[in-house]
Amino acid sequence: MDRSRLQACLEQEQQRFVTRHPRSQQLYQEAQSHWLSGVPMHWMVKWAGAFPLFVDHASGAYFTDVDGLDYLDLCLGDTGAMTGHAPQATVNAIAQQIAHGITYMLPTEDVLWIGRELERRFGLPYWQLALTATDANRFAIRLARQITGRKYILVFNWCYHGTVDETFVTLDNGIATSRRGNIGPAVDPSITTRVIEFNDIPALEAALASGDVACVLAEPVMTNIGIVHPQAGFHDALREITRRTGTLLIIDETHTICTSPGGYTAAFNLEPDILTLGKPIAGGVPAAVYGFSAEVAERIRANLGIDRADTGGIGGTLAGNALSVAAMKATLEHVLTQATYDHTIPLAERWAAGVQSIIDEYHLPWHVTQLGCRAEYWFCEQAPQNGGEAVASMDDELDHYMHLAALNRGILLTPFHNMALIAPQTTSADIDFHTEVFSECVSQLFSESA
Ligand SMILES: Cc1ncc(COP(=O)(O)O)c(C=O)c1O
């Protein structure tokens, strides 16, 4: 592609962004005096544009920024708002609960319904609560280490499971190495973790053969380095090898819950020993769950003394608070339902078809991938089969341009890759609007007449 044309287009979009958002710019400048880099979370500076948009309000599939501009939200809080913003049933449950207290360090009756519902959806009988998917993964790993007495975990190259120390490791020429940007690690993660490429069954066999890996922690489809699907037979092999070697299998459904109400696990009959899920499960209110098989539960019971349960490295004063629990019950009962997926998955297909039609029109060496109500486009011809291939196909400058050009035309994409998530309130007109915007962004770069 013509890189100088891309740079000129990017420059133009950057100017347009600044001109259109004076209020966000002013707030960002004022925030410099009290917030590191002017933002409440340091990675927020990585959004496309010279500063992040400040949000005024959001509802359903849309939000409005402080400059009064409206957006179609295809990021949806990177899955935290996959339920749509402020889903009514969840808001009602929150309002009702909040008037009766927020956190007690005691259970409420809601957990009985939730436990039954989680078993119905995911097939695992025993559950615990956490506040974030990060914590659910951390706790699951601790339990796996405790009951197996093994010290290593195994993850896939370029996975992301939240800010979990053991997972910040990638392959560098085949060697497990601390991931770039890993901030102040307590220990070198190559000491705690084996890392292999996704879809590499021989590497999995070799890494687990020594019988010293407590658990494999995996997204069933990688979603954090772009969507990387498992090859045929991969999950069967993963389950068979982990069982044979006494390694626990933890499936992280935090993003792949986009596949069905029971995530990828239910849709593809996976049989994890432990399952973790956070983000949208309470409609965006901080909450997460982790569940285990009867056998794992029995091993935990046999291994953990209740007398030390409050200081054993698994906890959180606010985990299991009544507000999160009420929000979770309402979200599972009324929002993340089969009817919602029946609406959102066809729209993700429509989104992918729209993008594909423009790729075809311009004969671009790009392609589109979809998983449930999530889809994305890549700047390479063949779908990457693992994290290493995915990273090699990235083009940060082009990414930046596509995000900013979409934002300037009223669409927010998921940052760091070109992903769209569909909310229950998204309409086919919204999807066609995205196709139009995508077409215009591509035309600026490639059209002879532009
Ligand atoms: C698959 C997966 N697991 C866990 C997490 C961590 O979620 P949180 O940041 O809410 O703890 C993420 C975050 O992106 C994720 O994508």
Side-chain angles (χ1 to χ4, degrees):
M1 78 172 297
D2 179 348
R3 302 304 298 193
S4 57
R5 184 163 170 182
L6 170 60
Q7 278 154 19
C9 287
L10 184 52
E11 176 62 24
Q12 213 176 0
E13 295 298 337
Q14 268 158 348
Q15 281 167 14
R16 183 169 168 179
F17 178 84
V18 172
T19 312
R20 281 164 55 87
H21 301 104
R23 180 76 183 136
S24 274
Q25 185 175 30
Q26 186 197 349
L27 293 178
Y28 177 62
Q29 278 160 359
E30 285 177 18
Q32 300 294 328
S33 15
H34 294 292
W35 295 95
L36 191 66
S37 311
V39 282
M41 271 199 294
H42 67 280
W43 60 258
M44 284 182 175
V45 290
K46 286 190 74 181
W47 280 99
F51 43 84
L53 292 181
F54 280 65
V55 175
D56 186 74
H57 61 272
S59 173
Y62 317 97
F63 75 94
T64 303
D65 72 12
V66 289
D67 286 291
L69 301 175
D70 296 326
Y71 297 86
L72 168 63
D73 190 353
L74 296 177
C75 167
L76 297 170
D78 194 13
T79 315
M82 197 184 100
T83 51
H85 294 288
Q88 197 55 55
T90 311
V91 168
N92 293 346
I94 291 169
Q96 209 179 359
Q97 181 59 50
I98 222 161
H100 295 99
I102 296 171
T103 192
Y104 317 130
M105 283 184 103
L106 288 168
T108 54
E109 198 171 332
D110 286 343
V111 298
L112 297 176
W113 184 92
I114 292 172
R116 283 194 299 273
E117 177 64 8
L118 292 174
E119 177 173 20
R120 187 186 72 77
R121 288 184 184 226
F122 301 104
L124 294 170
Y126 292 101
W127 293 86
Q128 289 282 276
L129 293 175
L131 278 182
T132 64
T134 298
D135 270 355
N137 284 325
R138 288 180 42 232
F139 301 160
I141 290 170
R142 273 184 172 261
L143 287 169
R145 282 212 177 98
Q146 179 74 19
I147 64 176
T148 60
R150 300 177 177 186
K151 65 175 188 175
Y152 291 106
I153 73 158
L154 183 139
V155 297
F156 294 103
N157 197 23
W158 293 104
C159 67
Y160 187 74
H161 296 282
T163 54
V164 179
D165 285 341
E166 292 95 327
T167 62
F168 277 84
V169 58
T170 49
L171 283 175
D172 186 7
N173 286 322
I175 311 284
T177 311
S178 193
R179 186 176 173 145
R180 67 184 180 213
N182 191 5
I183 300 168
V187 293
D188 179 343
S190 66
I191 297 171
T192 59
T193 310
R194 301 223 169 105
V195 55
I196 60 168
E197 290 289 9
F198 198 62
N199 281 323
D200 188 342
I201 297 171
L204 181 68
E205 188 79 72
L208 300 189
S210 44
D212 53 3
V213 176
C215 60
V216 172
L217 172 61
E219 282 192 280
V221 179
M222 295 186 85
T223 66
N224 281 295
I225 196 68
I227 298 170
V228 179
H229 286 276
Q231 289 167 351
F234 178 68
H235 274 292
D236 288 343
L238 176 59
R239 186 62 280 198
E240 190 279 315
I241 298 167
T242 46
R243 275 209 178 109
R244 175 160 40 85
T245 56
T247 312
L248 296 173
L249 177 59
I250 307 175
I251 292 289
D252 180 348
E253 288 277 10
T254 299
H255 277 183
T256 47
I257 189 66
C258 65
T259 316
S260 85
Y264 196 90
T265 293
F268 290 85
N269 300 315
L270 304 189
E271 294 176 0
D273 298 299
I274 306 180
L275 183 145
T276 60
L277 168 61
K279 293 200 186 181
I281 193 168
V285 174
V289 296
Y290 55 111
F292 13 83
S293 66
E295 190 207 324
V296 169
E298 196 41 53
R299 288 170 74 182
I300 295 172
R301 275 191 211 106
N303 209 294
L304 291 190
I306 202 72
D307 52 330
R308 297 270 161 81
D310 56 337
T311 51
I314 292 180
T317 313
L318 300 179
N321 73 80
L323 185 66
S324 297
V325 167
M328 189 185 296
K329 177 169 185 280
T331 304
L332 289 172
E333 193 171 1
H334 301 292
V335 190
L336 290 176
T337 60
Q338 186 60 54
T340 293
Y341 287 82
D342 291 344
H343 172 74
T344 56
I345 293 176
L347 289 180
E349 284 161 6
R350 188 181 180 109
W351 188 93
V355 169
Q356 187 66 54
S357 70
I358 309 302
I359 291 175
D360 293 344
E361 185 184 334
Y362 286 86
H363 306 289
L364 298 174
W366 298 1
H367 83 271
V368 195
T369 322
Q370 188 212 335
L371 174 70
C373 65
R374 179 188 301 279
E376 79 172 326
Y377 53 87
W378 292 79
F379 306 128
C380 58
E381 216 151 8
Q382 302 296 329
Q385 299 301 305
N386 58 49
E389 287 180 19
V391 163
S393 76
M394 285 186 166
D395 183 333
D396 288 347
E397 200 173 32
L398 186 52
D399 240 28
H400 196 164
Y401 164 75
M402 293 302 287
H403 276 256
L404 196 53
L407 198 57
N408 282 338
R409 287 158 185 76
I411 296 179
L412 186 75
L413 293 166
T414 305
F416 319 133
H417 31 98
N418 306 296
M419 200 181 276
L421 191 63
I422 311 300
Q425 303 80 2
T426 310
T427 65
S428 39
D430 292 330
I431 301 298
D432 297 346
F433 171 53
H434 174 267
T435 306
E436 262 170 54
V437 164
F438 181 75
S439 173
E440 196 185 327
C441 301
V442 165
S443 150
Q444 286 202 141
L445 285 182
F446 297 105
S447 168
E448 309 271 300
S449 54

